[in-house]
Amino acid sequence: MSDEYMGSNANDDDYQDGSSMDGDKVTVVAMRLTRFVLSQCESQNTIITRDKMVQNFREFNKEENSRGVTFDKVFVKMNDILSDTFGYNIISIEPKKSNKPVKKQPNKPDDKYPETNANKNEEPKTNRLGSKGTHFMLVNVMPYMKYFEQFKMDQSIMLYNETIDQEEYVGDDMDEASKNVLDNRFSSDQIQVQRGLTCLFISIILLSKNNILHQEMTMYLSRFGIPIDGTHIPIIDLSLDELVKILDKKEYIMKLEERSQGDSSGNANGNAITLYRIGRRTKHEFGVDSLVHMIEETMGIQADNVLREEIEKSVGDSYK
């Protein structure tokens, strides 16, 4: 602010204790930090470390001459902006776990399932750290609006059906594509298919108690008609390996690999073991309630307490 502005308001009640002025400074720095967070997630879709967040906060604070403004206050204001304007929240998450697989345990009918955050519908403890966390992630917190979502899905289906000619997909035909707005084509084709495959991946992993072998995963995927031999998946034009890399990078899933140190037959190289678990983003964006809702929508049923309990048992300790 200029000296003239500060002088002309020096006697105003709003500025006698400096609270309003401090609030303005907090808002300005929070808006700049919000832009930084959005640009990071748009261009890289990565986890933001506390060091990087605080470093940018200090730079903005210095440039705005906002001495006395704390990171805690800016963090709270930034989340208000993200939530009110964009439908997002930035939350604290746990550090990424080791890529070492855990031994898969067989299912037993008399298993005792420990209480989990998913079963108790509680947010993970790291989410309560606020600005004190060591890693942060931007997550979607838009409330689910059934009729609005159904309207969007109906529109997407209509647009997708326009890309089918004599039971063949022609959405990648430039002559046919010119009949649709490009953004509409992408939203109804590539993005919708990728979202569906992401949901399928997550569901298979969750219903396998968050621990499934690569061979089992490919078996289930092939039953849905997804090519597992390296052939590109129609519409999204990605191989299964390329899709897995994207989901792993976005932290919807974790691909865990380990090579044994040899075996009794003298094979020094051992055998590679690949497992899949849900990623950190899934834990915060796709809780057990979302899984139950997806099953209800897919199967056209209303989940009662018995079915919900069975789903929670299948999930196991996935959300720990």
Side-chain angles (χ1 to χ4, degrees):
M1 293 184 183
S2 66
D3 293 336
E4 292 81 1
Y5 180 86
M6 300 216 18
S8 64
N9 291 277
N11 295 323
D12 287 352
D13 291 339
D14 286 341
Y15 288 91
Q16 284 180 356
D17 61 359
S19 59
S20 294
M21 187 178 297
D22 287 345
D24 290 343
K25 291 179 179 179
V26 169
T27 300
V28 171
V29 177
M31 290 175 66
R32 294 192 64 179
L33 200 58
T34 299
R35 287 195 289 270
F36 161 72
V37 168
L38 292 174
S39 65
Q40 284 286 298
C41 295
E42 177 68 22
S43 60
Q44 301 177 28
N45 206 342
T46 58
I47 306 302
I48 304 175
T49 64
R50 178 182 176 81
D51 289 343
K52 183 178 288 188
M53 189 84 78
V54 171
Q55 178 185 352
N56 279 270
F57 158 74
R58 288 173 177 167
E59 290 178 4
F60 300 151
N61 221 11
K62 183 178 180 180
E63 292 170 5
E64 299 296 336
N65 193 24
S66 303
R67 287 179 297 178
V69 172
T70 65
F71 179 66
D72 290 348
K73 290 181 179 179
V74 170
F75 187 87
V76 171
K77 186 62 180 178
M78 176 178 61
N79 250 339
D80 289 342
I81 296 171
L82 287 168
S83 178
D84 295 342
T85 308
F86 302 101
Y88 291 113
N89 257 353
I90 188 159
I91 62 173
S92 300
I93 60 171
E94 69 278 9
K96 194 166 187 177
K97 295 180 180 179
S98 168
N99 280 353
K100 184 177 179 180
V102 295
K103 186 176 181 180
K104 187 177 176 66
Q105 298 294 333
N107 295 339
K108 298 179 182 179
D110 59 344
D111 276 347
K112 300 297 183 183
Y113 297 93
E115 284 191 323
T116 66
N117 287 323
N119 294 343
K120 295 186 291 184
N121 294 317
E122 293 182 358
E123 61 182 356
K125 292 180 180 179
T126 47
N127 199 2
R128 305 172 196 162
L129 294 175
S131 61
K132 306 297 184 185
T134 59
H135 296 76
F136 301 99
M137 174 185 285
L138 194 68
V139 296
N140 188 344
V141 293
M142 284 286 286
Y144 178 75
M145 295 177 285
K146 180 176 180 179
Y147 296 108
F148 178 61
E149 294 296 333
Q150 186 60 52
F151 170 76
K152 290 198 299 182
M153 180 59 69
D154 290 343
Q155 294 299 307
S156 297
I157 292 173
M158 180 186 71
L159 290 170
Y160 176 75
N161 286 338
E162 292 177 359
T163 65
I164 303 299
D165 183 29
Q166 297 181 356
E167 299 185 356
E168 289 189 9
Y169 177 74
V170 295
D172 50 1
D173 187 315
M174 294 305 297
D175 292 333
E176 293 293 332
S178 63
K179 298 177 183 178
N180 295 300
V181 178
L182 187 60
D183 287 342
N184 287 341
R185 281 197 57 243
F186 281 133
S187 65
S188 62
D189 298 356
Q190 288 90 341
I191 292 178
Q192 290 293 344
V193 171
Q194 190 160 324
R195 285 175 179 171
L197 292 173
T198 301
C199 189
L200 179 61
F201 257 91
I202 292 171
S203 301
I204 293 174
I205 295 172
L206 284 173
L207 295 175
S208 301
K209 292 190 180 179
N210 197 30
N211 204 25
I212 183 170
L213 290 166
H214 175 76
Q215 292 86 344
E216 294 176 303
M217 175 63 81
T218 54
M219 178 188 68
Y220 288 128
L221 293 175
S222 65
R223 293 178 180 177
F224 285 89
I226 299 171
I228 60 175
D229 59 355
T231 305
H232 278 203
I233 301 169
I235 302 178
I236 62 173
D237 196 28
L238 295 170
S239 68
L240 179 58
D241 287 343
E242 291 169 335
L243 177 62
V244 167
K245 287 180 181 178
I246 292 174
L247 298 182
D248 190 19
K249 180 181 179 181
K250 292 184 176 181
E251 303 243 8
Y252 284 113
I253 68 171
M254 286 179 62
K255 182 180 180 181
L256 312 175
E257 295 183 332
E258 182 182 65
R259 186 174 292 278
S260 61
Q261 298 301 316
D263 51 36
S264 57
S265 63
N267 183 5
N269 293 327
N271 297 315
I273 299 173
T274 302
L275 293 170
Y276 296 103
R277 306 194 77 182
I278 60 171
R280 291 182 289 182
R281 182 176 298 278
T282 297
K283 291 182 180 181
H284 295 279
E285 285 191 352
F286 195 83
V288 70
D289 287 335
S290 299
L291 179 62
V292 171
H293 177 75
M294 186 210 70
I295 292 174
E296 288 179 330
E297 291 291 311
T298 303
M299 302 183 66
I301 60 174
Q302 185 69 36
D304 55 18
N305 292 335
V306 175
L307 178 57
R308 184 182 179 87
E309 183 178 343
E310 289 300 316
I311 293 172
E312 289 178 350
K313 287 181 178 180
S314 298
V315 167
D317 65 349
S318 302
Y319 291 91
K320 273 194 170 182

